[in-house]
Amino acid sequence: MTNTARGETSFLAAGEKFVMRLTLGALAEIESGLSLANLASIAERLKQLSSSDLAVVAAALLRGGGHDVTPQDVMRIPADIGTIIGAVSDALAAVGLAKDPQSPLPPGAAASPLASAS
């Protein structure tokens, strides 16, 4: 079961449940993967994510949720982009990183009813 209080969210793709969790390790991976100097830079960078940036963020969150995936693996997950964006948004919103109204990752941005499935 997904625990949103722990910064978790999940989505279904091809019958498999993918859990994302924002951990300290995931934050460190996001900083490193996006070549950011500090946590404060993450919120600003979320406003201008490329598809490869989104894959880096999603992979870090999926690893935080217990999946052994790379950004390249994320690009092969059979889910629509709205589902991935919604799940990333929900995980980051749990700690206030995706609440900026100009961010492409607003809280609850799931375009699919499968995003945040419990």
Side-chain angles (χ1 to χ4, degrees):
M1 184 168 186
T2 303
N3 184 346
T4 55
R6 290 178 42 188
E8 288 181 356
T9 188
S10 64
F11 64 94
L12 297 175
E16 183 178 350
K17 182 177 180 180
F18 290 87
V19 175
M20 291 183 166
R21 183 170 177 220
L22 186 59
T23 63
L24 184 56
L27 281 172
E29 287 184 39
I30 292 167
E31 278 181 1
S32 177
L34 299 180
S35 300
L36 300 174
N38 55 50
L39 286 174
S41 304
I42 291 176
E44 188 63 31
R45 181 64 179 271
L46 291 175
K47 295 178 187 176
Q48 302 174 33
L49 284 182
S50 68
S51 58
S52 60
D53 292 344
L54 179 60
V56 166
V57 172
L61 293 171
L62 285 164
R63 283 191 294 277
H67 301 277
D68 184 21
V69 296
T70 66
Q72 293 75 24
D73 296 331
V74 170
M75 291 185 203
R76 290 189 291 272
I77 293 174
D80 63 84
I81 188 76
T83 296
I84 303 279
I85 289 172
V88 166
S89 172
D90 290 346
L92 296 176
V95 295
L97 287 176
K99 291 186 177 182
D100 186 326
Q102 295 181 10
S103 171
L105 300 174
S112 167
L114 297 179
S116 299
S118 296

